[in-house]
């Protein structure tokens, strides 16, 4: 499946997800100050209709609705709230029930509840919550540990509504909800890992929205720079197949191979490999290698290649990136054939 291909790319090209990263620019929108209410989900209000079929692989739905026993318990014990509104006494349970309904594939009921959360004026839903992070065992509380972050009920409601509307093929509505989640009800992760996963989810959802709206060039511009970063880029593969013929794809892939460039560091880098960490027989082995950076011109866009995995004494070469690109499987998924 495509997901396995991109997991393979992630392992091969080894992007650094654990350092602090700079902010990823989100596409401009005229909906920055959009005040969402139930009217926005009326197609007449949007003024657009779309007949877009074949967006998903039948064996690869865009979202996982896997539920747990806890979700079923929440539904069984709180289902009566479906036809009620949230209050100061039940707002947490109300939100949990909406999430459980989504996981249990009861999307219409979940949608109604998330809309009530989104349109609520009560402080428990309008407030942005701050979560500190402590290192386990540390005696100093509320200090930066693995990364603090913020959360918002309205942000979460918008994210769920985005997914529901994508599955219902209401792409203008989905995009409006996603824009509201990203811009109006922004939440922040102050560690590289949390931030990276957040941005990956945003890109995935934007890609599905743009694909559904038939804006293929936006999908390519948004997702192509991250094709080697391990994210879910099924939208990208589909729109490339639509935008280019097989002969054009072959041309651009060969051009990509010829365009690969790398710059080798002048000084060696080093890292440590630990065995039996934390035990009396702990062993630390130092490896030294000459790393560097690489670029590739893929479909007329210059993309920075992620840092390589190198063995002790190894030096980065252009051939290293060429071999990895050829073995990545990208030709198979775009053309149904491997490189010569």
């Amino acid at each position: 499946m495509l997901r396995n291909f991109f997991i393979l790319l992630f392992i091969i090209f080894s992007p650094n997800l654990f350092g602090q990263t700079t902010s990823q620019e989100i596409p401009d929108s005229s909906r920055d100050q959009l005040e969402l209410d139930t009217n926005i989900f009326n197609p007449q209000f949007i003024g657009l209709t779309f007949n877009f079929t074949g967006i998903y692989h039948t064996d690869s739905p865009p979202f996982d609705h896997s539920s747990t026993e806890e979700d079923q318990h929440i539904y069984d014990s709180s289902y009566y709230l479906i036809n009620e509104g949230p209050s100061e006494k039940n707002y947490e349970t109300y939100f949990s029930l909406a999430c459980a309904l989504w996981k249990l594939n009861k999307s219409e009921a979940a949608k109604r509840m998330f809309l009530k959360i989104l349109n609520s004026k009560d402080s428990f839903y309008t407030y942005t919550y701050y979560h500190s992070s402590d290192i386990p065992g540390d005696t100093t509380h509320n200090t930066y540990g693995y990364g603090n972050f913020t959360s918002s009920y309205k942000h979460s409601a918008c994210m769920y509504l985005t997914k529901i509307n994508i599955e219902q093929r209401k792409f203008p509505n989905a995009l409006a909800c996603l824009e509201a989640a990203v811009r109006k009800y922004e939440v922040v992760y102050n560690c590289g890992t949390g931030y990276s996963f957040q941005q990956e989810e945003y890109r995935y959802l934007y890609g599905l929205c743009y694909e559904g709206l038939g804006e293929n060039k936006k999908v390519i511009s948004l997702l192509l720079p991250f094709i080697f970063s391990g994210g879910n880029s099924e939208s990208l593969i589909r729109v490339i197949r639509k935008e280019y013929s097989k002969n054009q794809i072959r041309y651009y892939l060969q051009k990509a191979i010829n365009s690969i460039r790398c710059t080798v560091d002048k000084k060696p880098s080093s890292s440590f490999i630990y065995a039996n960490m934390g035990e009396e027989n702990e062993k630390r082995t130092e490896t030294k290698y000459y790393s560097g950076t690489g670029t590739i011109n893929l479909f007329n866009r210059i993309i920075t290649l992620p840092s390589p995995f190198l063995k002790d004494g190894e030096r980065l070469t252009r051939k290293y990136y060429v071999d990895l690109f050829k073995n990545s499987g990208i030709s198979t998924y775009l053309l149904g054939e491997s490189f010569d």
Side-chain angles (χ1 to χ4, degrees), residues 156-226:
S156 297
C158 284
M159 294 294 283
Y160 276 105
L161 287 167
T162 297
K163 296 174 183 179
I164 291 171
N165 279 286
I166 287 174
E167 289 188 328
Q168 294 178 346
R169 315 252 172 146
K170 298 177 180 178
F171 299 108
N173 304 344
L175 182 58
C177 289
L178 180 56
E179 292 278 78
V182 172
R183 297 174 179 276
K184 187 172 183 179
Y185 306 113
E186 179 186 15
V187 297
V188 177
Y189 288 86
N190 291 315
C191 78
T193 304
Y195 174 84
S196 296
F197 285 136
Q198 178 197 53
Q199 296 301 306
E200 180 182 313
E201 182 176 25
Y202 286 165
R203 286 192 296 270
Y204 177 51
L205 294 175
Y206 270 115
L208 290 174
C209 289
Y210 290 151
E211 182 186 8
L213 292 169
E215 299 181 9
N216 292 343
K217 287 183 171 56
K218 282 189 176 182
V219 177
I220 294 173
S221 295
L222 176 69
L223 298 182
L224 191 62
F226 300 93

Side-chain angles (χ1 to χ4, degrees), residues 19-33:
Q20 300 299 325
T21 57
T22 56
S23 177
Q24 168 66 26
E25 183 178 354
I26 298 299
D28 291 334
S29 170
S30 61
R31 299 187 178 90
D32 287 359
Q33 305 302 321

Side-chain angles (χ1 to χ4, degrees), residues 21-68:
T21 57
T22 56
S23 177
Q24 168 66 26
E25 183 178 354
I26 298 299
D28 291 334
S29 170
S30 61
R31 299 187 178 90
D32 287 359
Q33 305 302 321
L34 186 61
E35 191 66 38
L36 291 181
D37 58 30
T38 53
N39 289 331
I40 197 170
F41 299 95
N42 182 340
Q44 294 178 349
F45 178 82
I46 296 293
L48 297 170
T49 57
F50 294 90
N51 181 20
F52 195 87
T53 58
I55 180 171
Y56 309 129
H57 294 297
T58 56
D59 64 339
S60 183
F63 308 117
D64 182 9
H65 284 262
S66 297
S67 60
T68 65

Side-chain angles (χ1 to χ4, degrees), residues 53-312:
T53 58
I55 180 171
Y56 309 129
H57 294 297
T58 56
D59 64 339
S60 183
F63 308 117
D64 182 9
H65 284 262
S66 297
S67 60
T68 65
E69 291 183 3
E70 178 64 19
D71 295 315
Q72 187 64 51
H73 172 73
I74 292 172
Y75 174 71
D76 291 338
S77 61
S78 309
Y79 69 91
Y80 63 91
L81 291 176
I82 292 175
N83 296 318
E84 297 184 12
S87 68
E88 190 170 359
K89 292 183 178 180
N90 69 20
Y91 72 93
E92 291 179 314
T93 303
Y94 191 90
F95 175 78
S96 296
L97 176 59
C99 297
L101 288 169
W102 153 261
K103 294 178 183 178
L104 293 166
N105 283 297
K106 301 179 186 294
S107 294
E108 278 300 326
K111 183 175 181 179
R112 291 195 300 270
M113 296 185 73
F114 284 126
L115 277 172
K116 287 184 179 181
I117 293 171
L118 189 57
N119 292 312
S120 173
K121 304 297 183 183
D122 292 308
S123 60
F124 46 76
Y125 281 154
T126 60
Y127 186 72
T128 298
Y129 295 84
Y130 173 81
H131 307 269
S132 63
S133 179
D134 288 323
I135 299 175
D138 189 2
T139 58
T140 304
H141 295 289
N142 299 322
T143 58
Y144 187 94
Y146 294 117
N148 49 50
F149 63 97
T150 63
S151 66
S152 161
Y153 282 104
K154 288 183 180 283
H155 173 89
S156 297
C158 284
M159 294 294 283
Y160 276 105
L161 287 167
T162 297
K163 296 174 183 179
I164 291 171
N165 279 286
I166 287 174
E167 289 188 328
Q168 294 178 346
R169 315 252 172 146
K170 298 177 180 178
F171 299 108
N173 304 344
L175 182 58
C177 289
L178 180 56
E179 292 278 78
V182 172
R183 297 174 179 276
K184 187 172 183 179
Y185 306 113
E186 179 186 15
V187 297
V188 177
Y189 288 86
N190 291 315
C191 78
T193 304
Y195 174 84
S196 296
F197 285 136
Q198 178 197 53
Q199 296 301 306
E200 180 182 313
E201 182 176 25
Y202 286 165
R203 286 192 296 270
Y204 177 51
L205 294 175
Y206 270 115
L208 290 174
C209 289
Y210 290 151
E211 182 186 8
L213 292 169
E215 299 181 9
N216 292 343
K217 287 183 171 56
K218 282 189 176 182
V219 177
I220 294 173
S221 295
L222 176 69
L223 298 182
L224 191 62
F226 300 93
I227 190 171
F228 304 122
S229 297
N232 192 327
S233 298
E234 293 184 5
S235 292
L236 177 62
I237 295 296
R238 288 191 295 266
V239 300
I240 287 176
R241 288 170 173 170
K242 293 173 185 174
E243 288 291 305
Y244 301 98
S245 68
K246 282 195 171 184
N247 285 336
Q248 288 175 316
I249 292 174
R250 290 190 188 95
Y251 166 78
Y252 281 117
L253 291 182
Q254 186 58 54
K255 180 180 178 181
I257 292 173
N258 296 336
S259 75
I260 291 175
R261 300 289 183 271
C262 77
T263 301
V264 182
D265 295 340
K266 294 182 179 180
K267 295 182 179 180
S269 299
S270 63
S271 60
F272 296 93
I273 300 174
Y274 289 85
N276 305 316
M277 191 171 182
E279 300 179 8
E280 291 185 1
N281 60 340
E282 177 181 307
K283 182 180 180 182
R284 187 181 77 166
T285 303
E286 182 179 11
T287 61
K288 292 187 176 182
Y289 46 84
Y290 284 85
S291 189
T293 59
T295 61
I296 186 171
N297 184 330
L298 189 58
F299 293 97
N300 287 334
R301 291 168 175 81
I302 302 298
I303 299 173
T304 300
L305 295 168
S307 301
F309 277 129
L310 298 174
K311 299 177 181 178
D312 187 38

